[in-house]
Amino acid sequence: MDRNESNEERNLPIRQLEEATSYSKYYDDKRFWRKVRRIAQKVGGSVLKPVLLLFYMMKSDSVSLKDKAYIVGALGFFVVPIDIVPDFLAGLGYTDDLAVITLLIKYLKDNITPEIEMRVDAKIRDLMETKEEQEQEKEQPQV
């Protein structure tokens, strides 16, 4: 798929993605990483992979500005404090976030390079090691 194709040519569900871009005002790196760390502590890395794929695509020079606008909107939806399905509902809380993110990844998958995949995997390993260290610290007896 050519990266320069329009949304219509890719058959993007424009209405859904256009709505997602309205959430771009909620995105900032600090808010994003706070939520990523919180999710890593609760549910682990597999839920984070699609989120991190979008994040590193957004940082890539090879992704068009138009696609980055969609990514920022989806990540804004991810970090927005009010969800359709609240994040604290075990097992269900991230489904609305992940639905938007998964939809976008489906249409931007040609932007996922081996370098992006490596960065995502490294970040997940880092987050999981941090989670394990925190759990070990909790298990240490207090002196």
Side-chain angles (χ1 to χ4, degrees), residues 12 67 69 108 111 115 121 128 130 134 141:
L12 284 175
D67 288 343
L108 299 180
N111 290 298
E115 178 190 356
D121 292 342
M128 293 301 97
T130 302
Q134 290 172 346

Short mmCIF file of all heavy atoms in Angstrom, two decimals, residues 12 67 69 108 111 115 121 128 130 134 141:
data_model
loop_
_atom_site.label_atom_id
_atom_site.label_comp_id
_atom_site.label_asym_id
_atom_site.label_seq_id
_atom_site.Cartn_x
_atom_site.Cartn_y
_atom_site.Cartn_z
N LEU A 12 -10.52 3.71 4.63
CA LEU A 12 -10.54 3.96 6.07
C LEU A 12 -11.94 4.34 6.52
O LEU A 12 -12.64 5.05 5.81
CB LEU A 12 -9.61 5.13 6.42
CG LEU A 12 -8.13 4.84 6.43
CD1 LEU A 12 -7.37 6.14 6.68
CD2 LEU A 12 -7.77 3.85 7.49
N ASP A 67 -0.97 10.96 8.53
CA ASP A 67 -1.08 9.75 9.36
C ASP A 67 -0.70 10.04 10.81
O ASP A 67 -1.30 9.50 11.73
CB ASP A 67 -0.22 8.63 8.78
CG ASP A 67 -0.79 8.06 7.49
OD1 ASP A 67 -1.99 8.28 7.21
OD2 ASP A 67 -0.04 7.38 6.76
N ALA A 69 -1.28 12.76 12.35
CA ALA A 69 -2.44 13.42 12.95
C ALA A 69 -3.43 12.38 13.47
O ALA A 69 -3.98 12.54 14.57
CB ALA A 69 -3.12 14.34 11.93
N LEU A 108 -2.41 1.52 9.01
CA LEU A 108 -1.08 2.12 8.92
C LEU A 108 0.03 1.08 9.02
O LEU A 108 1.20 1.42 9.20
CB LEU A 108 -0.90 3.17 10.03
CG LEU A 108 -1.85 4.35 10.01
CD1 LEU A 108 -1.55 5.30 11.17
CD2 LEU A 108 -1.79 5.09 8.69
N ASN A 111 3.58 1.27 7.70
CA ASN A 111 4.54 2.17 8.35
C ASN A 111 5.35 1.49 9.45
O ASN A 111 6.26 2.10 10.00
CB ASN A 111 3.80 3.37 8.95
CG ASN A 111 3.25 4.29 7.90
OD1 ASN A 111 4.00 4.86 7.12
ND2 ASN A 111 1.94 4.45 7.87
N GLU A 115 12.77 -1.45 12.61
CA GLU A 115 13.31 -0.58 13.65
C GLU A 115 12.23 -0.23 14.68
O GLU A 115 12.48 -0.26 15.89
CB GLU A 115 13.87 0.71 13.06
CG GLU A 115 14.39 1.66 14.12
CD GLU A 115 14.75 3.03 13.59
OE1 GLU A 115 14.66 3.28 12.38
OE2 GLU A 115 15.09 3.88 14.44
N ASP A 121 9.60 -3.61 21.20
CA ASP A 121 9.97 -4.79 22.00
C ASP A 121 10.93 -4.42 23.13
O ASP A 121 10.79 -4.90 24.25
CB ASP A 121 10.58 -5.87 21.10
CG ASP A 121 9.55 -6.47 20.15
OD1 ASP A 121 8.33 -6.33 20.39
OD2 ASP A 121 9.97 -7.07 19.14
N MET A 128 8.58 -4.17 31.62
CA MET A 128 8.32 -5.40 32.38
C MET A 128 9.41 -5.64 33.42
O MET A 128 9.11 -6.11 34.52
CB MET A 128 8.21 -6.60 31.44
CG MET A 128 6.98 -6.55 30.51
SD MET A 128 5.40 -6.48 31.38
CE MET A 128 5.03 -4.73 31.37
N THR A 130 11.04 -3.27 34.96
CA THR A 130 10.72 -2.30 36.00
C THR A 130 9.59 -2.82 36.87
O THR A 130 9.63 -2.72 38.10
CB THR A 130 10.33 -0.94 35.37
OG1 THR A 130 11.41 -0.48 34.57
CG2 THR A 130 10.01 0.09 36.43
N GLN A 134 9.79 -3.67 40.87
CA GLN A 134 8.87 -3.08 41.85
C GLN A 134 8.19 -4.17 42.66
O GLN A 134 7.99 -4.02 43.87
CB GLN A 134 7.85 -2.21 41.14
CG GLN A 134 8.43 -0.94 40.58
CD GLN A 134 7.45 -0.17 39.71
OE1 GLN A 134 6.42 -0.67 39.29
NE2 GLN A 134 7.79 1.08 39.43
N PRO A 141 11.41 -7.95 52.90
CA PRO A 141 10.99 -7.62 54.27
C PRO A 141 11.53 -6.24 54.68
O PRO A 141 12.61 -5.85 54.31
CB PRO A 141 11.63 -8.73 55.13
CG PRO A 141 12.68 -9.33 54.26
CD PRO A 141 12.36 -9.03 52.84
#
